[in-house]
């Protein structure tokens, strides 16, 4: 990361804003961010990571950059997903502290000065806990709650309930995160794993200012799987226990049937119970195999050593925008 140091001194604060087709909110976002930046005692870098948008997001940001300083646009070569975009932001940010914030104004930027104050008082991590979630359906709220509950039951580093990615992190926390080499980036879990002295502030989460959410339930399920399997091997043990229980029950039942046949003679055709047992046991087996498969798949992805993202353009580093000179994150984030 050394060679990314700029000529001028580092900004005090970097705001990392992942952007995926957010053209509708960008004008409002820039306006609010500008107002907030003026209240922050120090220089601020607005680091937009464009995650393969195919609307006017990048054009809007680059235009804003021509008449406002402190805006940087890092473009990924395609849509890699929010976790990868945030990873890219964390690796490119130069600030002494970093704030992660969504582009859709669901995390009110007006809270940033308060977060900076907590950091200046010595906190390494300032977590923003949602008191309410405006504009989110009952189903989304319930599934989110369920998600946290399941994950925390299963994984080793508990994730604080009702906190999203909206947070401030000190330089040393960000450096620690950047040293985590895994390719399956389950950031919430990684944040929790890194730890560090943390202060939690409460806020009311706003509804999306414009545009539509990029989440759907399939993605949420994927994230849940990621959360469970990347931070715990407990489900593997669960599979073992389940298998043992099923096999034990099957064994007992079998013995009982044999004894009964010996004492009373062969009485029942037993067809129905056979089918029931076979389906139950093959279900348990498939479950365990599937669970193993999840982990094996993850091992496979990790062994490929692919970078988490590819940068195609960096507004502060135009020399690297030619495609053959693509910067490969994986080379950079190690050592
Ligand atoms: N986002 C991204 N890549 C994606 C999906 C989303 O960078 O593939 C960004 C998006 O632009 C926004 C943030 O991640 O800044 C949160 O996305 P969204 O509001 O759709 O998620 P939600 O708030 O509904 O969880
Ligand atoms: Mg949102």
């Amino acid at each position: 990361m050394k060679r990314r140091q700029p000529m001028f001194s580092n900004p005090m604060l970097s705001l990392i804003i992942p952007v995926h087709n957010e053209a509708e909110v960008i004008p409002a976002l820039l306006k609010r961010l500008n107002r907030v930046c003026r209240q922050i005692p120090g220089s601020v870098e607005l680091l937009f990571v464009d995650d393969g948008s195919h609307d006017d997001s990048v054009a809007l940001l680059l235009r804003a950059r021509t008449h406002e300083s402190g805006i940087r646009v890092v473009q990924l070569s395609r849509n890699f997903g929010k976790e990868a975009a945030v990873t890219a932001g964390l690796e490119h940010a130069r600030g002494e502290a970093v704030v992660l914030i969504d582009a859709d104004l669901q995390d009110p930027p007006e809270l940033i000065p308060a977060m900076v104050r907590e950091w200046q008082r010595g906190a390494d991590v300032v977590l923003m806990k949602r008191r309410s979630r405006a504009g989110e359906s009952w189903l989304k709220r319930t599934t989110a709650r369920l998600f946290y509950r399941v994950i925390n039951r299963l994984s080793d580093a508990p994730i604080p309930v009702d906190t999203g990615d909206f947070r401030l992190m000190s330089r040393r926390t960000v450096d620690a995160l950047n040293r985590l080499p895994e390719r399956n980036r389950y950031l919430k879990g990684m944040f929790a794993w890194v730890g560090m002295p943390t202060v939690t502030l409460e806020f009311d989460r706003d509804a999306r200012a414009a545009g539509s959410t990029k989440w759907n339930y399939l993605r949420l399920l994927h994230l849940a799987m990621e959360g469970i399997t990347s931070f715990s091997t407990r489900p593997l043990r669960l599979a073992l226990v389940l298998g043992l229980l099923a096999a034990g029950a099957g064994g007992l039942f079998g013995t009982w049937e044999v004894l009964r046949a010996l004492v009373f003679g062969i009485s029942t055709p037993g067809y129905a119970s056979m089918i029931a047992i076979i389906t139950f046991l093959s279900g348990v087996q498939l479950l365990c195999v599937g669970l193993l498969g999840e982990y094996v798949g993850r091992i496979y992805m990790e062994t490929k050593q692919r970078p988490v993202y590819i940068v195609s353009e960096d507004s502060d580093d135009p020399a690297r925008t030619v495609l053959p000179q693509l910067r490969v994150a994986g080379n950079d984030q190690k050592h």
Side-chain angles (χ1 to χ4, degrees), residues 293-305:
E294 279 292 324
Y295 284 95
V296 173
R298 253 147 256 262
I299 295 170
Y300 173 60
M301 292 313 283
E302 296 292 336
T303 53
K304 281 207 285 194
Q305 295 278 305

Side-chain angles (χ1 to χ4, degrees), residues 253 257 260 268-281:
F253 187 68
E257 282 296 298
R260 215 166 58 131
T268 45
Y271 180 69
S273 55
M274 278 297 272
I275 294 292
I277 290 166
I278 289 172
T279 40
F280 176 64
L281 282 186

Side-chain angles (χ1 to χ4, degrees), residues 28-40 110:
L29 174 72
L30 285 170
K31 204 178 290 169
R32 276 173 73 177
L33 284 178
N34 273 335
R35 207 175 312 139
V36 166
C37 287
R38 265 180 255 131
Q39 301 164 25
I40 293 170
E110 289 71 26

Side-chain angles (χ1 to χ4, degrees), residues 22 102 104-106 136 140 205 208 213-215:
E22 301 283 8
D102 282 358
D104 59 4
L105 291 169
Q106 274 190 297
E136 291 187 359
K140 170 136 194 206
R205 187 151 158 98
R208 203 170 221 292
T213 175
K214 274 96 208 157
W215 280 104

Side-chain angles (χ1 to χ4, degrees), residues 46-118:
L46 300 183
L47 174 51
F48 290 92
V49 182
D50 169 56
D51 187 17
S53 301
H54 29 74
D55 62 357
D56 293 334
S57 300
V58 175
L60 285 170
L61 292 170
L62 290 176
R63 195 183 316 148
R65 192 181 129 80
T66 57
H67 53 85
E68 279 162 40
S69 61
I71 295 183
R72 180 177 183 192
V73 186
V74 170
Q75 283 170 254
L76 304 188
S77 58
R78 62 171 173 84
N79 178 246
F80 281 90
K82 184 186 173 187
E83 310 272 304
V86 170
T87 303
L90 288 171
E91 286 174 7
H92 285 76
R94 297 180 283 220
E96 285 309 308
V98 162
V99 168
L100 305 182
I101 183 165
D102 282 358
D104 59 4
L105 291 169
Q106 274 190 297
D107 310 322
E110 289 71 26
L111 299 171
I112 295 174
M115 297 161 81
V116 170
R117 273 197 295 281
E118 292 296 335

